[in-house]
Amino acid sequence: MQTKPFRIGTRGSPLALAQARETRSRLMAAHGLPESMFEIVVLSTKGDRITDRSLALIGGKGLFTEEIEAQLASGQIDFAVHSSKDMPTKLPDGLHLSVFLPREDVRDVFISPVAPRLLDLPRGATVGSASLRRQALIRRLRPDLNVIVFRGQVDTRLEKLARGEADATLLAYAGIRRLGKLDVPTEVLDPEIFPPAPAQGAICVESRIGDARIDALLSAIDHAPTRAAVTCERAFLETLDGSCRTPIAGLATIGDGQLRFRGMILTPDGGTFHEIEATGPAADAADLGATAGRTIRERAGAAFFESWI
């Protein structure tokens, strides 16, 4: 019987802590365990420490996970809680994404003191975003806008906006909801027009492959529909060699055992894009995502991807 607290690794941002606490609460409810049986271990990552440059310039998504995964692999923590969209498609040997919690709202939100909607911003207005996908989609819809890099935690970005460093910004609605900041968005963007990042809104748990004790603990909170949807989206991303240099959107939805996927790739200027849709059994999620990725890559042609370099 477990006597020491399970150690949960996480980044230290308010959003990361909210996600770790949600995971802890679900595990407490599933197993009838007290809060004292879980210790949240806050770990600093390079991605958190370097906030003045885009992720594409300093190494990509792995900067938010490397230190945490090192502690997980060495046994210093029992499992780690992440935002699924921050996870690289290739994980370190011996680790896997073992659990996905029920997905939050997948949409992006527009936040601005200047205009109620993205389409209402005045010509030449400045929009700050750290995401190449959001930047490309903004330029696709409003090529007249000035788009700049805007990094940092949610509160940091909102403070930058309040100081006038930009006229607007975009964030994930899931994070806004988890932080209880529902009064902040001025527009919730339609995912048919402004599709989300692959795995957006989904919390995942990373653990060691073959750790039966932790597998038994975590399996009780795995949400199968979210797992299938995120598996499809990550397979699409992996097939396209997705990183923080690539504007890629993708969303899978599950109903009655069937999966519907819609993916999009864009040039960074938003001027050229390709879309694809796929449907099939949710059990075939990985194959559906990978096939969609190969198909859209062939359709776009090699020249399209040169614009990402």
Side-chain angles (χ1 to χ4, degrees), residues 163 191 196 227 237 309:
R163 291 197 299 266
R227 169 181 289 281
L237 192 64
I309 299 171

Side-chain angles (χ1 to χ4, degrees), residues 21-239:
R21 293 184 188 115
E22 179 179 340
T23 305
R24 178 182 65 186
S25 294
R26 290 180 181 275
L27 288 168
M28 288 166 56
H31 296 285
L33 292 172
E35 187 176 304
S36 60
M37 281 302 298
F38 299 92
E39 178 187 356
I40 293 177
V41 180
V42 175
L43 299 166
S44 174
T45 72
K46 189 174 180 181
D48 293 311
R49 295 190 295 270
I50 302 175
T51 60
D52 60 342
R53 283 164 281 169
S54 72
L55 291 178
L57 296 177
I58 59 174
K61 292 182 179 182
L63 295 172
F64 287 121
T65 61
E66 187 176 343
E67 289 91 342
I68 296 173
E69 288 172 331
Q71 296 236 357
L72 179 58
S74 68
Q76 293 173 275
I77 57 174
D78 292 302
F79 54 93
V81 177
H82 306 282
S83 294
S84 297
K85 71 170 183 165
D86 288 342
M87 299 303 293
T89 54
K90 296 188 184 303
L91 302 181
D93 290 343
L95 303 181
H96 67 150
L97 302 186
S98 50
V99 163
F100 294 91
L101 303 192
R103 199 172 198 172
E104 247 291 2
D105 198 304
V106 301
R107 296 174 292 178
D108 284 316
V109 291
F110 172 77
I111 303 167
S112 175
V114 173
R117 301 187 309 148
L118 175 63
L119 295 180
D120 295 332
L121 280 172
R123 288 185 62 84
T126 297
V127 183
S129 175
S131 159
L132 290 193
R133 172 191 59 89
R134 290 185 184 128
Q135 292 174 6
L137 287 168
I138 291 165
R139 291 175 176 129
R140 175 192 169 201
L141 295 171
R142 290 289 308 271
D144 59 293
L145 296 176
N146 175 37
V147 182
I148 63 171
V149 174
F150 226 43
R151 284 201 56 217
Q153 299 174 9
V154 171
D155 284 339
T156 301
R157 298 187 205 192
L158 295 178
E159 289 166 6
K160 288 181 178 181
L161 192 62
R163 291 197 299 266
E165 294 183 26
D167 298 306
T169 191
L170 279 73
L171 294 170
Y173 198 17
I176 292 293
R177 290 171 62 88
R178 289 184 177 119
L179 290 171
K181 296 181 179 291
L182 296 180
D183 59 331
V184 170
T186 50
E187 180 187 15
V188 180
L189 296 165
D190 182 348
E192 291 295 318
I193 299 170
F194 210 97
Q200 184 158 307
I203 296 171
C204 66
V205 180
E206 187 178 22
S207 60
R208 292 179 291 274
I209 295 171
D211 190 331
R213 178 180 63 100
I214 297 302
D215 286 346
L217 176 80
L218 296 174
S219 61
I221 63 170
D222 190 38
H223 188 249
T226 300
R227 169 181 289 281
V230 173
T231 295
C232 176
E233 294 162 19
R234 283 174 57 80
F236 179 70
L237 192 64
E238 182 174 15
T239 303

